[in-house]
């Protein structure tokens, strides 16, 4: 089945530790995104990538880093510099043809990160 | 002012009721509009796109008023399975990048 997978579903880390969240898709989508969701707020964009080996900061990139070495994979690292990392993290992807990115984004099941 | 604003609810309605959600957006350059559905502790999923002429998909009707920068979603004959949070989403293209801006969502609870 085609889709987006994120692992793990729940993650607990101690304050000051870096942690990497996995995102893999087999939809053959070029564009991938990372969002965080906090209670009572809309999804906020952290980073996005429209092509392998290229990515751009979103609205709240501070304290996060990403890589895009393969089309299928877009891991997100939450560093110790992120002041409030506890949140629900969602990865998404969308189709792209040339410079045109399709509107619909498909989401993975999310990773719920709790920093103790 | 938030870029996309929604009434957070919750809307508590009985089965069979008709319920309407509203959404306003601030960027007049916005080009595309959507409603996503998000179940508790799950990922958002596209419910329907919203077109200028209005569009319907079964029990769901979406409307767009560009002049007022207002979007609505109407659910007729509510089912228990409609209970979820409904996210209003606005898109615009910026430098070749397709940016989605999400509202915080309106929660719907349908009871027997």
């Amino acid at each position: 089945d085609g889709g987006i997978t994120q692992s793990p579903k729940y993650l607990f880390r101690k304050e000051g530790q870096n942690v990497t969240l996995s995102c893999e898709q087999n939809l053959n989508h070029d564009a991938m995104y990372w969002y965080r969701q906090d209670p009572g707020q809309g999804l906020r964009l952290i980073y996005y990538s429209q092509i392998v080996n290229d990515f751009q900061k979103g609205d709240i990139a501070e304290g996060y880093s990403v890589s895009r070495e393969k089309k299928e994979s877009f891991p997100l690292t939450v560093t110790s510099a992120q002041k409030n990392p506890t949140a629900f993290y969602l990865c998404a992807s969308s189709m792209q043809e040339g410079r045109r990115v399709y509107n619909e984004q498909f989401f993975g099941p999310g990773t719920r990160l709790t920093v103790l | 002012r938030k870029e996309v604003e929604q009434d957070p609810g919750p809307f508590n309605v009985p089965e069979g009721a008709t319920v309407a959600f509203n959404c306003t957006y601030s960027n007049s350059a916005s080009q595309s509009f959507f409603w996503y559905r998000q179940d508790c502790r799950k990922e958002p999923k596209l419910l329907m796109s919203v077109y200028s002429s209005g569009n319907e998909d079964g029990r769901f009707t979406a409307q767009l008023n560009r002049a007022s920068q207002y979007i609505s979603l109407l659910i007729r004959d509510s089912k228990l399975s409609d209970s979820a949070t409904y996210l209003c989403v606005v898109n615009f293209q910026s430098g070749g990048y397709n940016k989605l801006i999400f509202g915080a969502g309106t929660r719907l609870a349908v009871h027997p």
Side-chain angles (χ1 to χ4, degrees):
Chain A
D1 287 330
I4 303 178
T5 56
Q6 290 184 244
S7 60
K9 191 172 182 179
Y10 298 96
L11 190 55
F12 297 87
R13 278 295 181 270
K14 290 183 179 179
E15 196 172 338
Q17 288 182 333
N18 291 357
V19 61
T20 297
L21 311 184
S22 164
C23 177
E24 305 278 333
Q25 54 98 0
N26 60 5
L27 299 167
N28 199 33
H29 287 172
D30 285 297
M32 296 187 75
Y33 314 83
W34 273 105
Y35 296 90
R36 71 175 274 168
Q37 187 175 33
D38 296 279
Q41 295 192 43
L43 277 67
R44 292 183 290 165
L45 181 67
I46 305 171
Y47 267 97
Y48 66 97
S49 168
Q50 293 186 263
I51 196 168
V52 173
N53 292 324
D54 187 52
F55 46 82
Q56 306 295 328
K57 291 182 179 180
D59 300 319
I60 54 164
E62 186 176 347
Y64 299 98
S65 66
V66 293
S67 63
R68 188 85 188 276
E69 296 176 3
K70 298 187 299 182
K71 186 175 181 177
E72 303 79 24
S73 178
F74 191 39
L76 173 76
T77 296
V78 185
T79 75
S80 56
Q82 168 48 231
K83 296 197 185 332
N84 186 18
T86 294
F88 187 39
Y89 289 88
L90 288 156
C91 179
S93 70
S94 60
M95 282 179 60
Q96 182 171 314
E97 285 183 358
R99 285 178 57 83
R100 183 191 170 204
V101 181
Y102 283 73
N103 292 324
E104 182 178 1
Q105 292 186 9
F106 297 84
F107 286 84
T111 292
R112 206 164 287 275
L113 173 65
T114 301
V115 175
L116 305 170
Chain B
R1 182 186 172 189
K2 289 182 181 177
E3 291 182 275
V4 177
E5 295 210 57
Q6 298 181 248
D7 181 340
F11 284 59
N12 293 299
V13 303
E15 273 186 291
T18 295
V19 61
F21 305 138
N22 303 318
C23 169
T24 57
Y25 61 95
S26 60
N27 192 327
S28 59
S30 297
Q31 298 160 351
S32 303
F33 310 89
F34 312 90
W35 284 99
Y36 275 70
R37 171 193 168 128
Q38 186 173 24
D39 292 300
C40 188
R41 303 179 78 82
K42 300 283 190 180
E43 74 274 23
K45 293 183 179 177
L46 180 66
L47 178 65
M48 59 195 303
S49 300
V50 187
Y51 302 118
S52 297
S53 54
N55 50 298
E56 187 174 305
D57 182 2
R59 297 181 293 109
F60 299 84
T61 300
Q63 297 277 355
L64 167 64
N65 184 324
R66 283 188 188 269
S68 302
Q69 295 179 201
Y70 169 94
I71 306 159
S72 66
L73 176 68
L74 182 78
I75 305 175
R76 291 182 299 279
D77 189 22
S78 298
K79 311 289 184 195
L80 295 175
S81 57
D82 293 334
S83 298
T85 297
Y86 291 84
L87 308 178
C88 176
V89 183
V90 172
N91 155 278
F92 66 90
Q93 296 275 349
S94 175
Y97 165 55
N98 176 40
K99 183 172 183 177
L100 290 187
I101 301 171
F102 289 77
T106 298
R107 195 153 63 87
L108 172 66
V110 182
H111 57 83

